[in-house]
Amino acid sequence: MTDPAPARQPAFILVRPQMGENIGAAARAMWNFGLDHMRVIAPRDGWPNERAVALASGAGRLLDHAGLFDDVPSALSDCTYVFATTARERGLTKPVVSPERAMEQARAITAEGGKVGVMFGPERAGLENADIAAANAIISVPVNPEFPSLNLAQCVLLCGYEWRRQTTEVVPQVMELAKTDFASGEEVTRLADHYEERLEEAGFFWPPVKADSMKLTLRNLWGRLDLTRADVQTLHGVMRQMVRWAEGRRPRG
């Protein structure tokens, strides 16, 4: 059989998967990254599979709409470009690409109206050479050569992540501000002045010949920190409390 394919994403094709749990976990991994076009070829434990549904955990719709196929040729019949995932050398002349490069190519091909398939092999031994021969290129993950075997769902997760990176803007770093804003330059300057004044009174800048260098170091420290307004208020409070504590310990008379 065939199934309708979204025009802008690859089909993830599970070839002869053995465990329903892994099919469900693969569906969940796909849906984590916005992929919902799954094809399943000759699952060992039959179809539909209750264990797959249990492990899908919220991604059951992928299983409901997954295409079920008897063999590799029928599952690939409408694909214009196919990747095969494998962890070991197969003695076949094929381009070997990283998951990142593969999903970059998949994005370009689907953008031009092509249909991309990505094959994942059964858990015990992976894809057979006859399966890989039907592919245009091989995806190889840079794993530990002494332990190269990846769980089916893990491999799906890796490729799904790279697809998401290629099709969605991924910001390398953001700052989560918890009900506050970054402090302004003026606020940081007032904080620096406060500390410098109080430390001067406490005799911190000693000996005098090093005072200017010590003050510069502190100013540089404040400038180097990404302080929020809450940070500034807290640091002001710390210094005020230290001053009150010190004044309370001074001898009276």
Side-chain angles (χ1 to χ4, degrees):
M1 66 170 283
T2 59
D3 57 338
R8 297 292 183 178
Q9 63 169 251
F12 276 25
I13 304 164
L14 311 187
V15 180
R16 300 180 297 277
Q18 296 170 316
M19 298 177 63
E21 291 89 341
N22 283 332
I23 299 173
R28 182 175 182 178
M30 288 176 63
W31 192 229
N32 281 147
F33 298 107
L35 289 158
D36 60 9
H37 185 199
M38 174 185 279
R39 296 180 179 182
V40 183
I41 301 174
R44 184 191 67 182
D45 295 339
W47 196 259
N49 187 292
E50 292 182 359
R51 292 182 177 179
V53 174
L55 264 291
S57 186
R61 62 186 294 264
L62 272 73
L63 304 179
D64 293 339
H65 296 93
L68 179 62
F69 297 83
D70 294 327
D71 52 40
V72 168
S74 60
L76 302 184
S77 62
D78 63 339
C79 294
T80 58
Y81 200 93
V82 177
F83 295 97
T85 60
T86 183
R88 62 183 188 274
E89 294 183 7
R90 297 296 187 138
L92 298 173
T93 301
K94 297 276 187 186
V96 179
V97 296
S98 67
E100 180 180 16
R101 177 60 174 160
M103 293 302 101
E104 180 183 2
Q105 292 175 334
R107 176 177 56 81
I109 293 167
T110 55
E112 294 295 326
K115 286 189 176 181
V116 174
V118 184
M119 291 194 294
F120 302 87
E123 295 89 324
R124 179 165 297 184
L127 294 169
E128 297 177 359
N129 276 8
D131 304 322
I132 296 172
N136 300 91
I138 290 171
I139 297 176
S140 181
V141 178
V143 294
N144 176 5
E146 296 181 3
F147 191 62
S149 178
L150 280 175
N151 173 271
L152 171 60
Q154 290 174 330
C155 194
V156 168
L157 183 76
L158 283 170
C159 291
Y161 168 72
E162 292 297 345
W163 170 258
R164 188 73 173 179
R165 286 212 312 144
Q166 292 296 329
T167 55
T168 304
E169 182 180 3
V170 179
V171 180
Q173 179 175 322
V174 296
M175 177 68 75
E176 292 285 348
L177 293 173
K179 299 180 181 180
T180 187
D181 295 314
F182 283 113
S184 67
E186 180 181 359
E187 289 167 328
V188 175
T189 297
R190 287 203 299 267
L191 176 67
D193 290 342
H194 183 193
Y195 269 69
E196 191 171 296
E197 291 166 4
R198 293 305 190 182
L199 291 172
E200 185 86 63
E201 293 172 2
F204 176 77
F205 299 112
W206 180 266
V209 70
K210 294 184 177 180
D212 288 344
S213 175
M214 295 170 72
K215 291 176 182 179
L216 180 62
T217 297
L218 280 174
R219 294 276 174 173
N220 185 54
L221 183 151
W222 300 124
R224 194 170 67 243
L225 299 176
D226 290 329
L227 294 171
T228 67
R229 286 179 172 173
D231 295 332
V232 168
Q233 292 169 0
T234 298
L235 290 167
H236 276 301
V238 168
M239 179 54 75
R240 292 190 189 102
Q241 184 60 32
M242 291 300 293
V243 169
R244 284 194 290 267
W245 177 81
E247 290 177 342
R249 290 175 58 88
R250 290 175 184 169
R252 297 179 181 180

